[in-house]
Amino acid sequence: MQLTPYGYNLLAGYIFFLILFGCFLQGITLLILLKKENQQKSLTPYLLNIVAANTFMILGSFPTTLVSSFARGWAFNDAVCKFIGFVGGCAATSMIASMLCITITIHRTIAKQNVTNHFLHQPPNKTQLKIIIGVWMYSAVIMLPPVTGLTEMKLEAADTNCAPNWSPDTPGDLAYILILCVTAYFIPVGASLFYYLQIRKALSAHMALAIPVASIQAQLRRFQNITYMTAVAIAAFAITWLPYAVYVLIAAFGGSHLFDAVMSVVPAMVAKMSILYNPFVYALVNPRFRKSIIDLLTCAKPSPRQWKIAPFSFSISRRSGRRPPNLAPRKALERTAGNAEESVPRFLVCGEGQSTSGRYENGGMELSKQSKEKEGQI
C-alpha cells in the first residue's frame, strides 16, 4: 500500500523531527545521568540502558525510513530490511525490560528495608551489568526467528520500514507473533504494573510506621517520587505502543485488509514516538532532574552549598529514647551558635526573646521547659 506524495513528504518530515529532537533529548539525558552525583545511584545503569536503547532505535532504524520516505518506497535490499527490523525490535524490547528492572529494583529495596534504618544508596555493581546484558540477549533471542528465516521479515508502513510478517501464512508464524506480543509487551507491562502496586503498598506501610521520624519520611518520599516517575514512564510506553500492538493482533488473525495505507502507518509512527517521552517524564516528575535540565540548557554554574550550622545536634535512640550528650567544646558551641544566628532565622536557632548563649548554656545540655515537656511526651 502506497501513500500520496504529500503523505510521504509528511512522513519524511515527521521522521526527520524524531531524529533531530530525539538525539538532542538523549544527549541531554545522558549528560545528566553521567554527572558525578548520579553515577553512584543504583538506578542509573538502567536509565542509561534506556538511553542506549532509544539511541539504538533512532540511529539504527529511523534513517532508512527517512530515505525510503523520500524515495516513495523501500530503497534498500532484503538484508538491510532484516537488520532494520531486528534493531527496532531489540531496542523496543530492551526499553520496556529496563523499566521493569527499575520497578523490581525499587520493590526489592523497599521490601528489604526496615524503617528504623536509613535507606542506603547502593552503587552500581556487576550484578546490574549482568542484568543489562541479559536484557539485550533476551531482546535479541526473541527477534532472531525473522532474521534466521524461521519466519519472515516484511515491509510495513507504506514500504518505509521493516518488521516481522504480521499476516502469518502458517500456524508457526502465528505462534511466533503471539509469543512476541506476550513476551515483548504484555508481560513486561503487566509485571511492571504488579510491582508498582506492591511498591505502593509497601511504601504506605512504611509511612505509617515512620510517622515520628522525619528523616525516614523524607527518604520514603524520595522513593515515592522515583516510583511515580517510573510508573508514568511505563504508562507512556504502554500507551504509545498499544495502537501498534492492537494493529499486530488484528493483522495476525486475518484483519490486515481492514487497514488502508494511512491506517497502517499511524500505529508504527506513534510507537516510534516512544523515544521522546522519557526525558519529559523525568523532568515533569523529578524536581532534581528538572533543575539539572534547566541548569544545563541555561549554562548555569552550580552554586556552592550553603550549610546551615545549628549550635549543636543530637539524635534520639530508638531503644532508650535518651538524647546522647554533646561532647563539643564550649567555645566551639558558642562560635557555631553565632554563625547559626546569621544564617538561620532567630526563632529556629534560639527562640523568641532568648539569646543563644542563654539557651545553650552548660555545653548545650540545658533544654528549655518546652523541650523537656516534649521529651517527656516522646
Side-chain angles (χ1 to χ4, degrees), residues 336-355:
T336 55
N339 294 337
E341 287 180 328
E342 297 177 0
S343 59
V344 183
R346 185 175 181 81
F347 70 90
L348 292 178
V349 178
C350 54
E352 294 183 15
Q354 296 183 11
S355 64

Side-chain angles (χ1 to χ4, degrees), residues 217-269:
Q217 278 189 328
Q219 298 249 11
L220 289 171
R221 279 192 290 269
R222 283 194 288 270
F223 269 94
Q224 285 180 323
N225 186 276
I226 296 173
T227 304
Y228 181 59
M229 180 187 72
T230 306
V232 173
I234 293 171
F237 179 93
I239 292 172
T240 52
W241 280 90
L242 181 61
Y244 192 69
V246 172
Y247 164 76
V248 168
L249 292 176
I250 293 176
F253 289 99
S256 58
H257 63 280
L258 300 175
F259 299 91
D260 58 12
V262 175
M263 292 303 296
S264 65
V265 169
V266 170
M269 295 304 107

Side-chain angles (χ1 to χ4, degrees), residues 8-328:
Y8 278 113
N9 291 335
L10 190 63
L11 180 59
Y14 175 74
I15 295 297
F16 184 71
F17 166 77
L18 289 183
I19 293 174
L20 289 184
F21 198 49
C23 288
F24 171 75
L25 291 178
Q26 305 313 314
I28 291 292
T29 307
L30 181 64
L31 290 176
I32 294 174
L33 292 176
L34 291 180
K35 282 188 173 183
K36 187 176 181 180
E37 61 267 24
N38 295 326
Q39 291 179 4
Q40 296 302 314
K41 295 181 179 179
S42 58
L43 298 181
T44 298
Y46 302 119
L47 296 174
L48 287 173
N49 194 47
I50 293 174
V51 173
N54 289 335
T55 305
F56 193 45
M57 178 178 288
I58 294 171
L59 300 181
S61 64
F62 287 11
T64 54
T65 302
L66 178 63
V67 173
S68 298
S69 299
F70 286 124
R72 308 292 191 267
W74 187 246
F76 306 92
N77 56 26
D78 292 340
V80 175
C81 180
K82 289 183 178 181
F83 175 76
I84 295 303
F86 178 78
V87 167
C90 286
T93 306
S94 297
M95 192 190 312
I96 185 59
S98 298
M99 293 180 188
L100 175 59
C101 290
I102 291 175
T103 57
I104 293 176
T105 301
I106 297 174
H107 176 263
R108 293 184 63 183
T109 305
I110 291 291
K112 288 183 178 180
Q113 297 295 341
N114 188 326
V115 294
T116 60
N117 299 322
H118 289 287
F119 291 94
L120 302 177
H121 285 289
Q122 298 178 353
N125 50 50
K126 292 182 179 180
T127 302
Q128 292 171 326
L129 179 60
K130 293 177 181 179
I131 292 175
I132 291 173
I133 294 174
V135 164
W136 283 99
M137 292 180 63
Y138 168 79
S139 304
V141 167
I142 63 176
M143 289 303 301
L144 277 179
V147 177
T148 56
L150 295 177
T151 60
E152 290 184 292
M153 191 79 76
K154 282 194 172 183
L155 295 173
E156 66 166 3
D159 296 342
T160 60
N161 191 40
C162 288
N165 181 15
W166 304 130
S167 301
D169 298 326
T170 64
D173 294 343
L174 177 60
Y176 169 72
I177 293 174
L178 296 179
I179 292 174
L180 181 62
C181 289
V182 170
T183 56
Y185 182 79
F186 292 107
I187 287 180
V189 172
S192 298
L193 177 61
F194 169 78
Y195 278 107
Y196 173 71
L197 295 177
Q198 294 299 312
I199 292 170
R200 286 285 302 271
K201 183 179 178 181
L203 281 174
S204 299
H206 282 315
M207 290 293 288
L209 294 175
I211 289 176
V213 188
S215 60
I216 297 180
Q217 278 189 328
Q219 298 249 11
L220 289 171
R221 279 192 290 269
R222 283 194 288 270
F223 269 94
Q224 285 180 323
N225 186 276
I226 296 173
T227 304
Y228 181 59
M229 180 187 72
T230 306
V232 173
I234 293 171
F237 179 93
I239 292 172
T240 52
W241 280 90
L242 181 61
Y244 192 69
V246 172
Y247 164 76
V248 168
L249 292 176
I250 293 176
F253 289 99
S256 58
H257 63 280
L258 300 175
F259 299 91
D260 58 12
V262 175
M263 292 303 296
S264 65
V265 169
V266 170
M269 295 304 107
V270 172
K272 290 181 183 295
M273 193 172 57
S274 63
I275 56 108
L276 297 180
Y277 63 77
N278 277 331
F280 289 104
V281 170
Y282 303 156
L284 180 65
V285 179
N286 194 315
R288 293 184 180 181
F289 193 91
R290 181 167 60 249
K291 184 179 183 303
S292 297
I293 290 180
I294 295 174
D295 292 343
L296 189 61
L297 294 179
T298 58
C299 300
K301 295 182 179 180
S303 58
R305 292 185 178 181
Q306 301 294 330
W307 297 100
K308 295 183 179 181
I309 306 175
F312 66 90
S313 61
F314 49 77
S315 60
I316 300 176
S317 172
R318 297 286 295 180
R319 295 181 180 177
S320 63
R322 297 179 180 178
R323 303 177 186 272
N326 191 345
L327 302 180

